[in-house]
Amino acid sequence: MLFSSTIFGRLGDTVGRKKVVILGFLISGVVLFAHNFIGDISSLYVLRGLAGIGSGMIPGPLAALVGSGSVGIFTASGSFGFMVASILAGVLKKDFIIFTTAAFLCFIGLFLSFFIKEQKKRLSVPLFPYEIIKKNIDVYLPYLIRHSAASAIWAVFPIYLTTLGVDKFRIGILYAVNPLMQVTFMLLPARLKSSRLITTGLVSSSLTFLGYAVAPHWGYLIGLQALLGFSWANLYLGSMKHLLKHNAEQSTATGVLNSIFGLSGIIGPLLGGLVTFFGLRVLLYFSSFLALCAFIISRILKGRAG
């Protein structure tokens, strides 16, 4: 996904966004259904890699097709899909039914993609979009730091919850609160400036992670999960609005953001695994500090750009 998002985000701008989205859904559907036939660890590695390629092809070009006008509804729809899918996986339970349903949903996406209206426009984008990354570094770098901090927590979060006496059912409830709040908050602040949304997202992320560390009882985490949904909604929506508004190469710019999301999913757990040697709560304090650093860096880079 890390490489696919940038490569196919660029291709969306150069050869056509709709084509890339259609191909992404097709590959994702075939690959997800093929998960039912995994026989050994080698085939698992191959199919997971192909799944990353297929899923990485879709977000950047699709966001560019939406444009900046309906970005709030677009990002909220993604969170709503994540919430429904999490519940659906728990209801379906059996692996074959889960993967087959996932493939079926991809083919529905494939079918609907043919009806997308695209104003065909070809842009010249370098093979490696260095200038786009440099231009939007005030969005990309804080996003990377904040989400690396979050990914470090998610790597051990269920373990931390069990130390507070939370059982599996309540862990599932706590996880469901986050995307539910994301859907809600992504629809509410859509008219605010992107810079304000990003700032709010970074500050509230730091407060959320700090709250995890000092929470005396698991019940407090319900409110913190709501705050987490609020923080992510603001950060992601603000980042998307900024990139879609300030870049003609919308597919490439949003594709790079999705690549950074994938990169943080690598850096965060590795970092979290190291810091956890000093204790789970130490990791939570550390992630809160990182999110605060992301906010400070964001303000410094904004000031230089201004």
Side-chain angles (χ1 to χ4, degrees):
M1 185 179 292
L2 169 64
F3 295 108
S4 176
S5 295
T6 296
I7 292 170
F8 288 99
R10 174 186 172 275
L11 284 176
D13 284 326
T14 57
V15 305
R17 297 157 182 174
K18 183 176 176 178
K19 292 179 181 178
V20 175
V21 170
I22 289 173
L23 185 59
F25 273 119
L26 177 60
I27 292 175
S28 296
V30 172
V31 170
L32 287 175
F33 185 74
H35 277 56
N36 291 311
F37 307 103
I38 291 174
D40 52 44
I41 193 68
S42 297
S43 58
L44 173 64
Y45 280 131
V46 171
L47 287 174
R48 292 310 298 155
L50 291 174
I53 292 174
S55 59
M57 294 172 70
I58 300 170
L62 191 59
L65 287 168
V66 172
S68 57
S70 305
V71 65
I73 297 174
F74 175 74
T75 54
S77 297
S79 295
F80 182 73
F82 182 81
M83 180 183 68
V84 171
S86 299
I87 297 171
L88 194 60
V91 171
L92 297 176
K93 295 182 180 179
K94 293 184 178 181
D95 292 343
F96 180 84
I97 301 176
I98 291 173
F99 285 122
T100 302
T101 302
F104 178 70
L105 290 171
C106 284
F107 289 127
I108 292 177
L110 171 65
F111 174 75
L112 294 175
S113 297
F114 285 101
F115 297 95
I116 295 175
K117 295 180 179 180
E118 178 183 14
Q119 293 181 348
K120 293 188 177 181
K121 182 171 58 175
R122 302 291 184 267
L123 300 171
S124 177
V125 182
L127 189 60
F128 182 75
Y130 171 77
E131 290 299 329
I132 293 175
I133 295 173
K134 181 181 177 181
K135 175 183 176 182
N136 300 289
I137 194 66
D138 57 329
V139 173
Y140 292 144
L141 184 56
Y143 185 93
L144 174 64
I145 296 172
R146 182 271 178 201
H147 205 64
S148 293
S151 296
I153 294 176
W154 309 148
V156 297
F157 197 51
I159 300 173
Y160 176 67
L161 293 177
T162 59
T163 66
L164 298 179
V166 185
D167 58 28
K168 291 182 178 179
F169 175 76
R170 285 182 289 182
I171 289 176
I173 296 298
L174 286 171
Y175 267 77
V177 172
N178 178 21
L180 177 61
M181 292 298 101
Q182 288 179 26
V183 174
T184 303
F185 290 120
M186 280 182 181
L187 293 174
L188 292 179
R191 295 184 178 180
L192 296 179
K193 290 183 178 180
S194 58
S195 58
R196 180 174 296 182
L197 291 170
I198 292 172
T199 296
T200 302
L202 294 173
V203 173
S204 54
S205 291
S206 180
L207 293 175
T208 301
F209 302 154
L210 179 62
Y212 287 152
V214 300
H217 183 265
W218 77 270
Y220 288 85
L221 296 176
I222 298 176
L224 289 170
Q225 286 296 90
L227 182 59
L228 176 67
F230 172 78
S231 67
W232 176 245
N234 278 269
L235 177 61
Y236 186 61
L237 178 58
S239 299
M240 290 290 286
K241 285 185 67 174
H242 178 91
L243 295 173
L244 290 170
K245 182 179 179 181
H246 294 94
N247 296 273
E249 311 87 348
Q250 293 178 329
S251 180
T252 305
T254 53
V256 171
L257 187 72
N258 199 53
S259 288
I260 290 173
F261 184 90
L263 179 61
S264 66
I266 299 170
I267 296 174
L270 292 174
L271 192 62
L274 293 173
V275 178
T276 304
F277 277 111
F278 301 98
L280 289 170
R281 290 187 185 271
V282 173
L283 171 61
L284 298 173
Y285 284 118
F286 179 73
S287 290
S288 175
F289 173 72
L290 277 185
L292 183 61
C293 289
F295 162 70
I296 295 172
I297 291 171
S298 174
R299 301 313 302 167
I300 293 173
L301 292 176
K302 287 285 185 185
R304 289 180 178 177

